[in-house]
Amino acid sequence: MSLTTLVTESWDDYGLLDSGGGRKLERYGPYRFIRPEPQAMWQPAQEDWRADGEFITASDLEGGGRWQLEKSVPASWPLSRGPVRFHAVNTPFRHLAFFPDMAPQWDWMRARTGQGDEVLNLFGYTGVGSLLLSERGARVTHVDASKKAVAAARENQNLSGMQDRPIRWLVEDALKYAQREVKRGRRYDGILFDPPKFGRGPKGERWDLNEGLPELVETLRSLLDAESKYLVLTAYAVRMSAIALQELFRQALAPLGGTVEAGEMTVREEARGLLLPTAIFARWSR
Ligand SMILES: C[S@@+](CC[C@H](N)C(=O)[O-])C[C@H]1O[C@@H](n2cnc3c(N)ncnc32)[C@H](O)[C@@H]1O
């Protein structure tokens, strides 16, 4: 059994410039930021780490912290990935309101998505994945517990000039919504889900990745049928192995046939070409 390494390469509006010493230096459009990165245990390539801002981790154990930004950095600014435009924001959660390392997953799903396909995006956040699949012709159902995230996703839809696309933006609990879809006898051509380690649904429903994943995968399998094309799971910063995700997918999706692949998601550093790992994934396709 072999694992796959997915690599995000730089594009016009994003690049991993350098990494090392527990931090990374990235380019988001015209701005450069430094963020903590515990996996970057090596030495940085360059001395010049001038940046427009840095996320400083709090000394407490809560994983908190705050941005220290130059005055020139706006509250938000537009970026592109292919045909889709979206806002970058320095969020209190240390990321920039989208996940650039999803790029190879977006490309892979886009290559498998056709006109009129029904696609479900759970834990969809600010909607970059939903918009990229919609642009390929999919009818997208986007689910996230956060009103704010869904509002940002709608703004990204407008920014992309995709107001007329058939996208349903829903503020719902991911598992409960998927279970209701099963009861309604719904099916999807493609499903992607990017669950956090812990989360809350809009009515306080508790989400715990380790506890909830088997049930969620089983539920999503019931939304796939003989015509379905893919199921993609990504997981960040978890104490979980890609092999475990692969075995879970193999078992749960066996009745559908097809192929399961799993591995690590990485970003290629521009300075030396080394790969910075950021997440693990499993995906099924046919
Ligand atoms: C983008 S995903 C998290 C994965 C992310 N890549 C990370 O680093 O953890 C987070 C999204 O899941 C949403 N979320 C959390 N719990 C949820 C739940 N029970 N149902 C639906 N969405 C939820 C959050 O509102 C957020 O937008």
Side-chain angles (χ1 to χ4, degrees), residues 99 123 125 144-146 149 172-174 194-196 199-201 205 207 236:
F99 297 97
F123 308 95
Y125 194 42
D144 196 285
S146 155
E172 297 269 4
D173 177 66
D194 181 20
R200 289 271 176 199
E205 299 93 336
W207 168 255
Y236 285 72

Side-chain angles (χ1 to χ4, degrees), residues 93 95 98-99 101-102 122-126 142-150 170-177 193-202 204-208 234-238 278-279:
F93 312 106
H95 55 70
F98 76 105
F99 297 97
D101 46 317
M102 284 294 285
L122 295 179
F123 308 95
Y125 194 42
T126 53
H142 172 108
V143 177
D144 196 285
S146 155
K147 261 190 200 161
K148 232 174 130 178
V150 169
L170 304 176
V171 178
E172 297 269 4
D173 177 66
L175 176 61
K176 263 175 44 185
Y177 184 77
F193 60 126
D194 181 20
K197 229 183 308 186
F198 301 108
R200 289 271 176 199
E205 299 93 336
R206 212 173 132 265
W207 168 255
D208 177 319
T234 53
Y236 285 72
V238 289
T278 57

Side-chain angles (χ1 to χ4, degrees), residues 118-132:
E118 292 285 344
V119 171
L120 177 61
N121 183 5
L122 295 179
F123 308 95
Y125 194 42
T126 53
V128 180
S130 293
L131 293 171
L132 281 162

Side-chain angles (χ1 to χ4, degrees), residues 2 23 42 63 65 78 81 83-84 134 191 193 216 218 242 251 268:
S2 64
R23 302 187 304 164
W42 44 82
R81 167 80 191 175
V84 162
S134 170
I191 302 178
F193 60 126
L216 182 55
E218 198 55 48
Q251 187 181 69
R268 191 184 307 282

